[in-house]
Amino acid sequence: MNTLSTATTTTPAASPAERTRLVQEFAYRMRHHILDMGEVQGQGYVGQALGASEMFAVVYADQLNFRAEDPDWTSRDRFLLSTGHYAIGHYAALAEAGIVPVAELETYGSDDSRLPMSGMATYTPGMEISGGSLGHGLGVAVGTALGLRHQGSGSRVINFMSDGELDEGSTWEAAMGAHHHGLDNLTVLVDINALQADGKTDTVLRTEPVADKWAASGWFTQRVDGNDAAALVTAFDHAADPGQRQGRPVVILCDTRIGRGVPMLETREKAHFMRIEEHEWQLCREELTAGSEGQNR
Amino acid sequence: MTTTPTTKRLKTSAMIASIAEEGQKTTPAPFGHALARAAEQNPAIVGLTADLGKYTDMHVFAQAHPDRFFQMGMAEQLLLGAAAGMAQTGLVPFASTYSVFAARRAYDFLCLDIAEPNLNVNVVGGLPGLTTGYGPSHQATEDMAIFRGMPNLTIVDPCDSVDIEQAVPQLADSEGPTYLRLLRGKVPTVLDEYDYTFELGKAKVLRGGADVVMVSSGLMTMRALAAAQELAKHHVDVAVVHAPTIKPFDAETVLREIDGDRLVLTLENHSVVGGLFETVASAVVRAGLGQRIVPVALPDEFLDAGALPTLHDRYGLSIKAVVAKVLAEL
């Protein structure tokens, strides 16, 4: 086992506070990687990735069972990124998890890189599916969970999706399918940053009340502050409790803030594809570092 | 209505009309039985359907292997997405629905979840081409045209029960995704009378003939063979080349047969756009043959509802229509 794959099964003694600290530190280092990769391209889905850093971090630092040196290990848990454009965040997590070398991150989005702008399974170790055409991840996750269970595997499946994907009918086909087949080895994280390509979610296509919809679809549903590492750890602990879970698939709805950790980006006019000027990247890094020191991390 | 029709009108009847001629030998549910048999040899095979198990003969597999059958509901996007996920865990899924839904409704899921990662998922499409009288909602007249542009996807258009029974284990064994144009129910059994075995990716000469060469796929191979017998009465000698694998296409065999002075026809249960005719035509042009080819195919239009024999006559797929076309061309 890789030392970073701190699944609860391997570190049962760690306290929630200690696990939370590890998730926070993982997310902080991820954010530096995200800014570094963003600077390579000069633009990109930096805001979303910064906002979702704790979500990736709780998966890779606290939940996922994997082997960094053997990404295709048969007994691994599967993490399926259906929002392909969040790849910049996923690469940062894969680097922190030891699956992709940190030095390789500077190739992000460049010709012949293993780290394309939109995540693809055929390019990157640790990337299970090719996301990007939205509303695909959950259906594939349902089949993966069915297939693993059918073959007697205890591996879990975690699907990361964005709230924009709640617009897609295929997401709800899959939500019904997971419930119908009683897939309690499946967990979905929904990043609710309330922003889509054409604007705020409530002006593009109203998806609320999101929690009611998942609950009505038969899922064990929790809604948390997705930038609160302690809340995420607690949500996964609740989901791991058979009494609460009751054999259902699990969804953790995560309200996040775009650009989180870098105040100048948090307060900037929100854009799906954020543009950051050349001279601003270093300022972003300084704000990120200062914020971290302020929180005494 | 002021007058009474003098002839009785044929009825549209059930969704899936029989394609068997009167008195023709048939085999019940060849796909379902073949899949159940293949699954006994290959423990990785699983079956999925989108609320069309009974109508794609998947129910035969489900009864034989209930623990390996997964009902996905009337949700074709989930059907193919989930099949991809199952394949990623090492299983070999066969996923059935109607061809119209596989091709039109769930294209993106077959393309990106299955074909791009080249997973061994086998999509089984019922009602290919014009095999129902229910109109354009169910007539997959352009399914091959839609699918031919998809990289990695193997497309099989079987003629009869022999083709289907022999194709199923080969589809399971082949790497990458496949699409099978399913004939279901009591499926005619024709090719057992010829020196023939189905080989994935191969075209086969079923009979030789000095005057005409018919290159056909799917149920139109049956019609080509029957038309050849009729044309013999007119002293026209017809060769039939069966090309059940549309992609990858066995251009070598087909070009060898059509390179000459004989009249060449292609026959397909599909739109004249994007199917067998254009597959053969592009092979001919690439080889610089300059051969004229007469297509027997469905027109580039939305087709009528009605009784299948009526429609096959109307659109030129009946034996009678094929014979008439050849005689007019000679």
Side-chain angles (χ1 to χ4, degrees):
Chain A
M1 289 293 298
N2 184 279
T3 51
L4 284 163
S5 63
T6 51
T8 49
T9 49
T10 59
T11 54
S15 68
E18 173 65 6
R19 288 162 57 204
T20 297
R21 187 182 63 78
L22 289 171
V23 171
Q24 288 170 334
E25 290 174 358
F26 192 104
Y28 171 70
R29 293 191 300 271
M30 272 183 64
R31 287 190 165 101
H32 273 290
H33 295 321
I34 290 161
L35 290 174
D36 291 347
M37 279 184 277
E39 189 173 15
V40 172
Q41 289 295 326
Q43 56 192 7
Y45 298 97
V46 173
Q48 289 91 333
L50 290 172
S53 290
E54 281 81 9
M55 294 171 65
F56 283 105
V58 74
V59 169
Y60 278 92
D62 191 63
Q63 290 293 319
L64 208 68
N65 194 18
F66 67 97
R67 289 178 175 169
E69 71 285 2
D70 183 12
D72 297 326
W73 176 45
T74 310
S75 298
R76 73 192 183 279
D77 290 336
R78 270 68 166 178
F79 178 76
L80 276 56
L81 178 73
S82 47
T83 44
H85 56 288
Y86 278 55
I88 184 171
H90 198 180
Y91 299 150
L94 290 172
E96 274 305 308
I99 296 172
V100 169
V102 171
E104 192 173 338
L105 296 180
E106 67 180 26
T107 70
Y108 168 66
S110 302
D111 289 347
D112 303 319
S113 172
R114 296 197 298 174
L115 311 176
M117 291 290 275
S118 188
M120 285 182 276
T122 44
Y123 280 65
T124 314
M127 190 71 79
E128 299 279 357
I129 63 167
S130 298
S133 181
L134 299 180
H136 282 238
L138 187 53
V140 177
V142 165
T144 306
L146 267 177
L148 290 170
R149 188 178 72 181
H150 178 69
Q151 295 172 92
S153 167
S155 296
R156 297 185 303 162
V157 180
I158 299 177
N159 171 219
F160 180 110
M161 72 163 73
S162 66
D163 56 344
E165 295 189 78
L166 302 178
D167 292 5
E168 297 281 3
S170 54
T171 294
W172 298 105
E173 287 186 13
M176 286 188 288
H179 171 241
H180 177 79
H181 288 282
L183 296 177
D184 66 352
N185 56 346
L186 174 60
T187 298
V188 172
L189 298 176
V190 185
D191 177 21
I192 304 179
N193 58 30
L195 185 71
Q196 304 186 217
D198 269 350
K200 291 182 178 178
T201 295
D202 62 2
T203 67
V204 176
L205 186 64
R206 232 175 4 254
T207 48
E208 295 290 357
V210 171
D212 291 349
K213 285 173 179 164
W214 285 95
S217 300
W219 288 60
F220 176 45
T221 306
Q222 303 172 79
R223 188 163 188 163
V224 301
D225 177 346
N227 294 124
D228 181 342
L232 288 167
V233 167
T234 302
F236 270 101
D237 285 349
H238 286 166
D241 174 1
Q244 295 193 57
R245 187 171 191 137
Q246 295 180 336
R248 291 172 290 175
V250 170
V251 61
I252 303 174
L253 305 166
C254 303
D255 290 297
T256 64
R257 179 185 283 239
I258 284 186
R260 178 72 180 200
V262 181
M264 62 184 278
L265 301 182
E266 286 183 32
T267 53
R268 166 171 301 200
E269 187 189 1
K270 295 295 181 283
H272 177 67
F273 197 73
M274 195 174 265
R275 294 189 188 281
I276 298 168
E277 301 303 321
E278 205 172 325
H279 70 276
E280 292 181 316
W281 292 99
Q282 187 53 34
L283 296 175
C284 288
R285 274 189 284 267
E286 287 166 9
E287 283 199 359
L288 174 61
T289 305
S292 170
E293 286 164 353
Q295 289 172 37
N296 199 25
R297 277 185 199 150
Chain B
M1 294 281 285
T2 53
T3 57
T4 307
T6 51
T7 54
K8 189 181 174 190
R9 290 184 183 180
L10 295 177
K11 293 174 183 168
T12 302
S13 189
M15 170 76 77
I16 303 176
S18 175
I19 54 163
E21 306 289 333
E22 203 168 314
Q24 191 172 30
K25 183 165 71 174
T26 61
T27 302
F31 165 69
H33 288 290
L35 187 62
R37 278 194 301 275
E40 286 164 16
Q41 306 297 319
N42 184 349
I45 289 176
V46 292
L48 299 80
T49 193
D51 195 26
L52 286 172
K54 289 179 195 169
Y55 300 90
T56 56
D57 290 345
M58 184 63 86
H59 67 296
V60 175
F61 172 85
Q63 285 162 8
H65 303 282
D67 59 323
R68 292 159 73 175
F69 169 71
F70 300 90
Q71 174 62 263
M72 304 313 293
M74 200 197 303
E76 293 79 13
Q77 300 173 106
L78 173 61
L79 173 77
L80 296 188
M86 295 178 97
Q88 283 183 339
T89 69
L91 298 172
V92 177
F94 279 72
S96 76
T97 179
Y98 285 156
S99 294
V100 279
F101 306 137
R104 297 174 185 161
R105 193 159 195 143
Y107 181 93
D108 196 31
F109 295 77
L110 178 50
C111 185
L112 292 173
D113 300 345
I114 295 170
E116 193 271 333
N118 203 29
L119 296 172
N120 186 355
V121 172
N122 303 282
V123 177
V124 180
L127 301 184
L130 178 54
T131 48
T132 175
Y134 275 43
S137 63
H138 287 70
Q139 292 162 343
T141 53
E142 83 291 25
D143 58 335
M144 294 198 291
I146 289 170
F147 281 144
R148 273 181 62 222
M150 191 184 295
N152 291 343
L153 184 68
T154 294
I155 302 172
V156 174
D157 189 21
C159 164
D160 71 343
S161 67
V162 174
D163 255 353
I164 291 170
E165 287 168 354
Q166 296 183 3
V168 165
Q170 295 182 40
L171 298 175
D173 289 345
S174 71
E175 281 185 27
T178 68
Y179 170 63
L180 177 70
R181 300 185 93 208
L182 179 73
L183 304 172
R184 57 80 60 192
K186 289 179 181 171
V187 176
T189 304
V190 174
L191 295 176
D192 60 335
E193 292 178 17
Y194 295 81
D195 179 21
Y196 173 81
T197 52
F198 174 87
E199 274 184 80
L200 194 58
K202 295 291 182 192
K204 298 285 179 76
V205 180
L206 296 177
R207 55 173 284 164
D211 305 315
V212 177
V213 185
M214 293 182 174
V215 179
S216 58
S217 70
L219 68 88
M220 288 311 290
T221 292
M222 270 192 283
R223 302 275 161 89
L225 292 167
Q229 288 175 9
E230 282 298 309
L231 285 161
K233 297 172 190 170
H234 297 271
H235 308 291
V236 177
D237 196 13
V238 179
V240 175
V241 183
H242 178 42
T245 308
I246 300 296
K247 191 182 176 189
F249 191 66
D250 183 3
E252 188 183 345
T253 299
V254 171
L255 291 181
R256 191 170 60 229
E257 292 300 316
I258 67 178
D259 185 14
D261 297 331
R262 296 179 292 183
L263 172 68
V264 178
L265 293 93
T266 56
L267 297 89
E268 64 195 298
N269 169 34
H270 184 270
S271 165
V272 72
V273 175
L276 178 67
F277 169 66
E278 290 193 354
T279 300
V280 174
S282 68
V284 164
V285 172
R286 277 170 182 267
L289 294 185
Q291 179 66 263
R292 178 171 175 262
I293 301 169
V294 178
V296 172
L298 297 166
D300 178 23
E301 49 188 78
F302 291 107
L303 307 184
D304 294 340
L308 202 57
T310 307
L311 299 176
H312 278 191
D313 253 344
R314 185 172 300 163
Y315 297 115
L317 298 195
S318 67
I319 297 164
K320 192 173 70 179
V322 172
V323 168
K325 187 159 216 166
V326 171
L327 292 176
E329 287 286 340
L330 285 171

